Amino acid sequence: MVATGFPAFDTTVDKTNRLLKEIEDAYGWPKERRKQSYAALRTVLHQLRDRLTVDEAVQFGAQLPMLVRGIYYEGWRPAETPVKMHSEEFFQRIRHDFPYAIQGDTEQLVHTVLEALQRHISAGEWDDLRGRMPADLATVIPA
């Protein structure tokens, strides 16, 4: 655990590190690939956020650990959302924004990140997220 001397900061850094480790463990990546797990989390969060309406994005963001919430909102332009996209375009945007080679395919990367995130979001909010997505994107969100 990181010791910043401020309990709220220590807790959010710890939760963020656990989330990144879950992504790494799912891929079998060593901790030295932390930049890659961070990029995967950031890329998926941004595309998910941009697909949601402002209200939906804020409701989902409220569930995220404080540090992850900052990553989620980084660079957000609420007036330009939601971006209408089907699942193929969603995956293309992620592939474009993720600067590393992908083991498997983009869909596997998204699924891995979302499975890790699901463990940090309430079941009710997760169900709401799936319910707000168009049919072809709802299948991307793990049940």
Side-chain angles (χ1 to χ4, degrees):
M1 182 167 193
V2 174
T4 65
F6 189 64
F9 289 174
D10 294 342
T11 299
T12 194
V13 169
D14 186 49
K15 286 179 180 180
T16 302
N17 278 325
R18 277 185 294 174
L19 177 57
L20 294 172
K21 185 173 181 340
E22 290 172 18
I23 295 167
E24 293 158 4
D25 288 349
Y27 269 105
W29 294 339
K31 185 177 180 180
E32 291 76 32
R33 292 179 77 175
R34 182 60 46 103
K35 288 181 182 179
Q36 192 166 337
S37 59
Y38 167 78
L41 176 64
R42 182 179 181 276
T43 301
V44 171
L45 279 173
H46 284 186
Q47 291 307 317
L48 186 64
R49 172 204 70 198
D50 289 349
R51 180 56 189 92
L52 298 170
T53 66
V54 172
D55 287 344
E56 293 164 345
V58 170
Q59 288 173 19
F60 181 74
Q63 294 270 321
L64 298 170
M66 180 174 35
L67 184 56
V68 177
R69 194 175 321 131
I71 296 164
Y72 176 73
Y73 285 119
E74 177 191 13
W76 188 34
R77 293 186 175 104
E80 297 175 13
T81 59
V83 175
K84 303 292 183 185
M85 63 181 105
H86 49 78
S87 60
E88 184 178 317
E89 185 177 0
F90 181 78
F91 292 128
Q92 287 172 348
R93 288 169 174 255
I94 288 170
R95 180 61 250 162
H96 178 267
D97 292 347
F98 185 67
Y100 298 93
I102 295 177
Q103 293 170 260
D105 59 15
T106 306
E107 191 168 345
Q108 180 184 348
L109 177 77
V110 171
H111 189 74
T112 299
V113 170
L114 291 177
E115 278 188 336
L117 273 171
Q118 185 178 15
R119 292 187 279 275
H120 299 268
I121 304 295
S122 73
E125 182 58 36
W126 198 258
D127 290 341
D128 287 347
L129 175 67
R130 283 191 99 232
R132 293 183 207 124
M133 291 298 202
D136 72 326
L137 273 175
T139 62
V140 172
I141 312 292

